[in-house]
Amino acid sequence: MTGRPPLLALDWGTSSVRAYLLGTDGAIMDTRAEPWGIMHTPGGDFAAAFTMLTGPWRDRFPGLKAIASGMIGSAQGWREAPYCEAPAGAAELAAALVTVETGNGLLYLVPGVRRGGKTPNVMRGEETQILGALSLAPDLEKDSMVILPGTHSKWVSVHESRIMDFTTYMTGELFAVLRDHSILGRPAKAAQREAGASEIDWSAFERGASTVRDSADGLSALLFSTRTLVLAGLMEPAHSLDYLSGLLIGEEFRVARPETQRPLTVIGDPALCTRYQRAAALFGLSAPRLIENPCATGLWRIATMAGLA
Amino acid sequence: MTGRPPLLALDWGTSSVRAYLLGTDGAIMDTRAEPWGIMHTPGGDFAAAFTMLTGPWRDRFPGLKAIASGMIGSAQGWREAPYCEAPAGAAELAAALVTVETGNGLLYLVPGVRRGGKTPNVMRGEETQILGALSLAPDLEKDSMVILPGTHSKWVSVHESRIMDFTTYMTGELFAVLRDHSILGRPAKAAQREAGASEIDWSAFERGASTVRDSADGLSALLFSTRTLVLAGLMEPAHSLDYLSGLLIGEEFRVARPETQRPLTVIGDPALCTRYQRAAALFGLSAPRLIENPCATGLWRIATMAGLA
C-alpha cells in the first residue's frame, strides 16, 4: 500500500450491520455483513461484534480508523450521537462526530439530523446515504429532492449539499399493518393462498396512485376503496394489495408535490424504487434517478471532511 | 291490545344482535340482546337464533311481523338484500326489502345503500340508523350531515330525508392496528403498563386534531409525529394514543370540511361521540347533536313505509 491507509466504514442499523474496507480513493476494497443490527447484536455486546466483524482487516492494517452511521449511534445503540439540527451537510456532521472506545481504537459515530417545528422530525442513517448520493451524482448537490422509501419513507430537500428539510411518511409500516391486521388484507391473502405469491400487478398499482392523484379525499377515506372495489367486483382480490401500495405511495407524491424542475432521486432497493419511478410518471415527473446503496460513499465523504481519511 | 299488533325489529350486526318489540306508535315495549352477530351465531343457524331470541314475543303475539337491518342482510348473512343505489330514503329502502322464511313467518331484511364512482362506497345498517335519527330530529331531514363514528366512520350527506352521498374513514380500524401493531403504540403501552389505564387526556386529543387542522401535510406524514413528539420529549408517552386519536378524527373534519350552516349530528356511543363534539369545536363548528341509538326508530319508519306496521 502507498499513500493513506484505508478506512473502515460501518452501516450499522436496527436489523443488520454491513462493514466496508475503503481504499484511499474511497473505493470499496472488501465488504462483510452480519445480521447483528442493534436489536440483534449477540449478547448485546457491540464491542465483541465489532471485533469479530472487523478483526481480520484490523490485523492487516493496524491503527485502521473506523466510522459508523445508523442506529448504532442512537440512545439504544453503542453510544448516543446527538442529532445535528437541519440544515446540515458533511461539515456539520463531521464536526458533530461522537467517539466510542472499542477496545481496538476509536469508532467515530455519525449523528442523525433533526428539524424542529410543530411536528418535529428525525433521521439517523439516511443523512449518510444522502451525502453519498450527492457524491455519486454531483449535479444533485445544488438543489434536489431525495426520496428514501421504506418502513418510514423520507422525502428530503437538499440545497447546496445540505439537508434542509424533510418529511416522513409511514408508507411501509402502514402497508404492513393494513395487510397483516386489517380488513383490507383479507381478500388478497385468501387469493394468494389459492394462487401462490405473484408478481406485482402494475395496473392495480397505477390505479391506486392515480386514484389518490385525482381525488380530493384524504388517505383515511381512500384506503377504504381497497375494500369497496373488491366488494363491488371492480377489482380482483389478488390485486388489492398492489392497489393499496399505489394509494400509499401516490399519497407521498400528492402531498410532497415535487416541483418538476427539481431533480428527483430515489435511494434503496431497486424493486421498491421502481414503484416510485412508476408513480413519478403518473404525476407528470421525470423518472427519479435510482441510487442503490450510497452508504459507504457517504461515510467516506464525512470521514474525509473530518480528517479521518 | 287494541289497534295494530306490535312489530318485531332486529338490529343484527357482525358481532351482536339486538331485538326490539315495538308498540303501535313505534315505542320500545321490550328489548333483548345476544352476542349472536352473524360471525358468532351459534352453529351458524340464523333460524334457530331467531327462534330463541324472539320466541316468547311470537308466542304472545302470533303472526308478529319482523324486520331486520345490518349484516344479517349481507352475502355472509341469512340472505343477501342487494344494495339500494343512493340517493335513497325510507321509500326506496321499503321498496327493496327482501324476505327470508324463518320457519316462524317472514323476516323482512333492509338493504344497505351503495354509491358508485371511482371509489365506490357501501353502508349496511347505518342507513336504518340515519332514518331513525331523522325521525327523532325532524329538523335534520331537510339538509344535514350525519356522522357515524366507529371502526369505519361514515359521514353521510342527507337532503330531503334521503341519503345522498357518503364517505367512509378507516378511523377506528387505523387507530386499533396502529396502537396494537405499529411503532406508534409502543410508548403508550409501556406507560400504561406502569400507570394502569387512564382517562382520556383532552389536551393531547385536541393537540392532535388541531395539528391536522393547521397542517398541509397528509395523514401518512402527520401520523409519524405521534412518535417524534415523544422522542423529542415534547409529549408524554401516556398521552400519545389520545394525540393519535385526535389526528385521525381531526383528519375526518379536515377532509369533510363540513359547512357551518348544515346541522351536524353524531350517532353512536356517547364516549366516542364526545370526541367528535370536541373536534367540531376546534374546527369552528357548533357541537354536533348526539343521538345514541336510533336503530329501532329507523326500523319502525321503514316498516311503516312498507305497510308492515
Side-chain angles (χ1 to χ4, degrees), chain A residues 168-232:
Chain A
T168 303
Y169 300 85
M170 290 192 66
T171 299
E173 188 161 10
L174 277 171
F175 181 81
V177 298
L178 291 170
R179 175 194 62 201
D180 295 340
H181 302 290
S182 87
I183 201 168
L184 303 186
R186 284 177 212 161
K189 274 189 281 190
Q192 283 169 0
R193 270 195 299 275
E194 284 173 29
S198 59
E199 294 290 298
I200 182 168
D201 183 83
W202 284 111
S203 72
F205 174 83
E206 293 184 344
R207 183 180 186 181
S210 62
T211 295
V212 166
R213 181 195 63 200
D214 301 338
S215 174
D217 275 347
L219 182 65
S220 163
L222 290 169
L223 289 173
F224 197 62
S225 66
T226 308
R227 174 168 169 75
T228 55
L229 286 169
V230 172
L231 282 181

Side-chain angles (χ1 to χ4, degrees), chain B residues 34-48:
Chain B
E34 295 288 353
W36 297 340
I38 66 161
M39 293 304 182
H40 310 278
T41 308
D45 187 341
F46 300 122

Side-chain angles (χ1 to χ4, degrees), chain B residues 154-226:
Chain B
K154 286 187 153 57
W155 285 64
V156 183
S157 174
V158 168
H159 188 70
E160 304 287 1
S161 302
R162 296 201 304 167
I163 293 164
M164 304 303 288
D165 192 11
F166 54 102
T167 302
T168 303
Y169 301 85
M170 290 192 66
T171 300
E173 188 162 10
L174 277 171
F175 181 81
V177 298
L178 290 170
R179 176 193 61 201
D180 295 340
H181 302 289
S182 87
I183 201 168
L184 303 187
R186 285 178 210 160
K189 274 189 278 191
Q192 284 169 358
R193 269 195 299 275
E194 284 173 30
S198 59
E199 295 289 298
I200 181 169
D201 183 82
W202 284 112
S203 71
F205 174 84
E206 293 184 346
R207 183 180 186 180
S210 62
T211 295
V212 167
R213 179 196 63 198
D214 300 338
S215 174
D217 276 347
L219 182 65
S220 163
L222 290 169
L223 288 174
F224 197 62
S225 66
T226 308

Side-chain angles (χ1 to χ4, degrees), chain B residues 18-42:
Chain B
R18 182 173 287 274
Y20 301 93
L21 187 68
L22 302 183
T24 51
D25 54 355
I28 295 170
M29 299 165 61
D30 198 4
T31 179
R32 293 190 63 190
E34 295 288 353
W36 297 340
I38 66 161
M39 293 304 182
H40 310 278
T41 308

Side-chain angles (χ1 to χ4, degrees), chain A residues 295-306:
Chain A
C295 186
T297 308
L299 285 164
W300 175 258
R301 180 172 186 157
I302 296 165
T304 306
M305 180 66 76

